[in-house]
Amino acid sequence: MKRGTIFKRLFLTYGITIIIGFGILALVLMQLFDQYFIESKKQVLIEQGQKISQEIVLGLYTGQIDQQRLSESLKTVDSLLNARIWLVDENGYIIGVSGTSEDHYLGQKIEEAQLAQLYKGKNYFQTGTFGEKLEEKALTAGYPIFVGKVFKGGIFIHAPLPEVQKTFKDIYAITIAAILLCGLLAYVILYFQIRRISRPLAEISEAAKEIAGGEFQKRLSIKTGDEIEELGSSFNHMAESLERIEENRRNLVANISHDIRSPITSISGFVEGILDGTIPKEKQNLYLTKVLAESKRLGKITSNLLELSNMQQGQMTVKKQAFELNETIRRAIISFEEQILAKNLEIELHLFDEAIYVFSDSSLLERILMNLLDNAVKFTPENGHIRINTTDAPGKIQIELLNDGVSIDQEELKKIWDRFHKGDASRGEHRSGFGLGLAIVREIVGLLDEKIWAESGKDFVKIIFTLDKANN
Ligand SMILES: Nc1ncnc2c1ncn2[C@@H]1O[C@H](COP(=O)(O)OP(=O)(O)O)[C@@H](O)[C@H]1O
Ligand SMILES: [Mg+2]
């Protein structure tokens, strides 16, 4: 599967964020370690300086310890602290060192500034080479020695920095390893997370391409339990609708060619017969009547199609007003008198006893009733029943048209509203229809902001729709 740019982009962005984040964390941690370490080392050096000056040096100045014992004591502290110790007199000359390799420092003079600090009774603290004297950088703490109130010099303790830092190298290494491991783990998790997003997206885009190429039966099965799964199921819904539309379009082509070709064939056949004399003079009127009927059929399919497309493009104006319903229904039934009598249908009317006023568009309602009654009359077998019921609902009137002798299964029931959908019954003997009637009805009901639905059971089909009651 192809990895798209989303994958790369997310992976890069989050990856860089992780790296920068952990990098900063590592730097801050090291800085904190450093500071903490130097601070604590400084504390130790100062404490030791104090101790040495009190216990050992004071002993020397008071004559309790000799030079020999002094340098031994210094050596002990040196190895304990891992630091060099210098003893300086009141003039700044080095008079004692802790290491034998440092004997050459004896007698050298330290810088004035360094001594001046101690002279003032203050501790000295610095990192560096102690005025170029030391070979490597060190942490130096100085502590003054006073006997009574008299300045007697000081103690300098040098802790070599590389030594200091070595202690922390291990901690650094562990820290960095931990951070790297975390980063790696985060990256792995990130990889799978992003793939969880990007893979179904790629799948969806692949499917979209297939559908665009005309493979409408393509469906997705994304089970991520999140918005992407939702997207996938919306996509499937869309594909279903597209498949239906495509099926309708095929039907449309088939139906239109069928519905238009047969009248045109008859018309041209009859007219040819009249022109070349195959149809004798006395029969011409009969055939011309047939030609007229067929052209009317053609006219009807055209105007139905136009009507539907006008409505769908919102070019239909709705003029709602209050008018009487019972009368409208009766008039609509009367216009089907001929067919009703021909099929010997029984019409049952359950209307309101008194005049009932609805707030709607009377000519649109008439179109609805004509289409619904046309179906009822057309699909009810001979000697069947048609029942019309009007009932009261809060603020609404419900109109119910029921005819018996036919039933439509649930699957079919959903499709009857589609353009050019004709039930099997409508293909044979009832081929006058184009499968546009209910599509037009649904469109009109939508324009009126009302509801319509169909129900069917054993041997009956029921269409129910609502109308606004007029408040009088
Ligand atoms: N009253 C009804 N009784 C039985 N079937 C019906 C009824 N109304 C509609 N149908 C079914 O719904 C289909 C679509 O109706 P319609 O859109 O009016 O198309 P047409 O009348 O041209 O067939 C019909 O072909 C028929 O199968
Ligand atoms: Mg119809």
Side-chain angles (χ1 to χ4, degrees):
M1 194 181 62
K2 205 179 71 186
R3 287 261 176 280
T5 37
I6 281 199
F7 186 87
K8 276 187 219 142
R9 201 182 303 156
L10 283 179
F11 202 57
L12 266 180
T13 332
Y14 285 115
I16 289 171
T17 315
I18 287 175
I19 290 169
I20 290 178
F22 279 119
I24 288 174
L25 185 66
L27 282 178
V28 167
L29 275 180
M30 284 183 193
Q31 196 62 36
L32 282 176
F33 280 153
D34 250 352
Q35 268 172 19
Y36 169 77
F37 182 82
I38 289 182
E39 201 49 48
S40 58
K41 192 78 182 175
K42 179 173 153 185
Q43 222 50 52
V44 170
L45 291 183
I46 286 172
E47 267 170 35
Q48 287 309 317
Q50 248 164 336
K51 248 203 195 121
I52 295 166
S53 74
Q54 277 163 11
E55 288 174 15
I56 305 168
V57 182
L58 283 182
L60 176 77
Y61 284 107
T62 51
Q64 285 167 351
I65 303 174
D66 57 15
Q67 189 74 34
Q68 177 64 27
R69 285 243 349 247
L70 169 78
S71 61
E72 267 165 29
S73 303
L74 287 183
K75 248 174 224 148
T76 320
V77 180
D78 176 307
S79 59
L80 271 177
L81 274 182
N82 192 14
R84 312 291 88 74
I85 305 158
W86 294 356
L87 190 58
V88 175
D89 71 8
E90 65 268 38
N91 297 316
Y93 290 101
I94 298 168
I95 54 166
V97 290
S98 62
T100 36
S101 60
E102 295 190 311
D103 281 348
H104 60 280
Y105 288 122
L106 288 172
Q108 286 190 26
K109 204 180 171 196
I110 64 165
E111 285 169 15
E112 282 304 325
Q114 293 162 340
L115 190 69
Q117 184 91 350
L118 300 191
Y119 186 77
K120 283 184 228 153
K122 285 181 183 157
N123 292 342
Y124 172 91
F125 193 79
Q126 207 180 38
T127 47
T129 51
F130 199 61
E132 310 282 299
K133 271 204 167 53
L134 301 171
E135 278 147 30
E136 52 181 10
K137 276 193 174 179
L139 199 60
T140 300
Y143 191 81
I145 301 168
F146 283 93
V147 178
K149 286 217 184 299
V150 188
F151 180 64
K152 284 288 186 185
I155 294 270
F156 286 97
I157 307 174
H158 309 288
L161 268 183
E163 205 72 29
V164 169
Q165 280 157 345
K166 210 178 84 195
T167 332
F168 262 60
K169 284 242 168 72
D170 291 348
I171 296 178
Y172 287 162
I174 291 170
T175 312
I176 287 172
I179 284 172
L180 280 179
L181 204 72
C182 282
L184 199 73
L185 207 70
Y187 226 83
V188 169
I189 292 171
L190 184 70
Y191 174 85
F192 284 108
Q193 280 295 335
I194 295 179
R195 210 176 55 164
R196 248 190 72 218
I197 299 172
S198 78
R199 193 182 258 173
L201 284 182
E203 234 174 273
I204 292 173
S205 120
E206 207 54 43
K209 273 183 214 149
E210 278 178 42
I211 285 183
E215 277 179 59
F216 296 102
Q217 62 285 359
K218 179 74 191 174
R219 294 290 181 278
L220 293 166
S221 59
I222 294 171
K223 292 271 170 291
T224 49
D226 54 13
E227 288 90 338
I228 294 184
E229 183 176 329
E230 250 169 65
L231 176 65
S233 69
S234 308
F235 182 92
N236 284 346
H237 279 309
M238 183 197 71
E240 253 159 56
S241 312
L242 283 177
E243 199 180 359
R244 268 229 327 261
I245 290 170
E246 172 63 7
E247 195 192 310
N248 279 345
R249 194 189 59 82
R250 287 212 194 101
N251 284 348
L252 168 116
V253 176
N255 284 324
I256 286 196
S257 23
H258 181 266
D259 283 331
I260 289 183
R261 202 187 43 204
S262 55
I264 286 180
T265 318
S266 336
I267 289 172
S268 54
F270 297 151
V271 171
E272 249 171 40
I274 290 170
L275 286 179
D276 63 16
T278 332
I279 293 173
K281 269 249 157 42
E282 62 274 18
K283 281 198 173 163
Q284 280 183 3
N285 263 3
L286 176 68
Y287 281 96
L288 281 176
T289 320
K290 287 186 179 176
V291 168
L292 185 66
E294 292 297 320
S295 4
K296 276 189 180 154
R297 247 179 74 73
L298 276 178
K300 202 170 142 200
I301 188 173
T302 323
S303 54
N304 270 349
L305 276 171
L306 265 178
E307 188 182 3
L308 194 59
S309 102
N310 280 347
M311 262 185 298
Q312 282 172 343
Q313 285 166 23
Q315 286 167 355
M316 198 77 141
T317 45
V318 179
K319 255 194 270 148
K320 281 195 181 182
Q321 61 186 58
F323 60 91
E324 211 281 319
L325 180 66
N326 291 343
E327 195 46 39
T328 316
I329 295 176
R330 284 203 186 92
R331 262 205 319 267
I333 295 172
I334 288 168
S335 64
F336 285 93
E337 197 182 7
E338 207 181 307
Q339 292 101 303
I340 292 171
L341 288 175
K343 286 179 94 170
N344 191 29
L345 301 176
E346 191 186 318
I347 308 284
E348 239 180 281
L349 274 183
H350 298 278
L351 302 180
F352 289 101
D353 291 338
E354 286 162 22
I356 179 95
Y357 286 86
V358 289
F359 185 72
S360 194
D361 184 314
S362 63
S363 66
L364 290 182
L365 174 61
E366 204 173 298
R367 299 267 272 289
I368 296 176
L369 288 173
M370 294 305 255
N371 272 308
L372 294 182
L373 280 170
D374 181 63
N375 285 347
V377 169
K378 188 162 64 173
F379 296 114
T380 311
E382 275 182 32
N383 309 318
H385 293 81
I386 296 176
R387 196 179 72 201
I388 300 179
N389 234 358
T390 51
T391 52
D392 217 340
K396 296 271 182 191
I397 299 291
Q398 270 192 11
I399 303 174
E400 200 181 287
L401 281 99
L402 179 142
N403 59 294
D404 63 7
V406 262
S407 41
I408 305 175
D409 66 49
Q410 291 306 308
E411 266 308 295
E412 178 78 5
L413 214 51
K414 282 185 228 156
K415 298 184 192 158
I416 60 173
W417 308 98
D418 291 350
R419 275 182 313 160
F420 291 103
H421 180 83
K422 293 203 273 189
D424 292 333
S426 196
R427 297 188 203 280
E429 48 177 323
H430 308 297
R431 68 168 202 87
S432 62
F434 311 112
L436 290 174
L438 288 185
I440 290 173
V441 165
R442 190 179 58 171
E443 213 65 44
I444 295 175
V445 170
L447 281 177
L448 291 175
D449 250 338
E450 300 288 358
K451 288 194 170 58
I452 188 162
W453 65 98
E455 291 168 10
S456 181
K458 195 179 178 315
D459 259 6
F460 78 89
V461 171
K462 196 154 79 174
I463 312 274
I464 305 123
F465 68 98
T466 60
L467 285 178
D468 267 338
K469 233 188 274 183
N471 22 317
N472 44 358

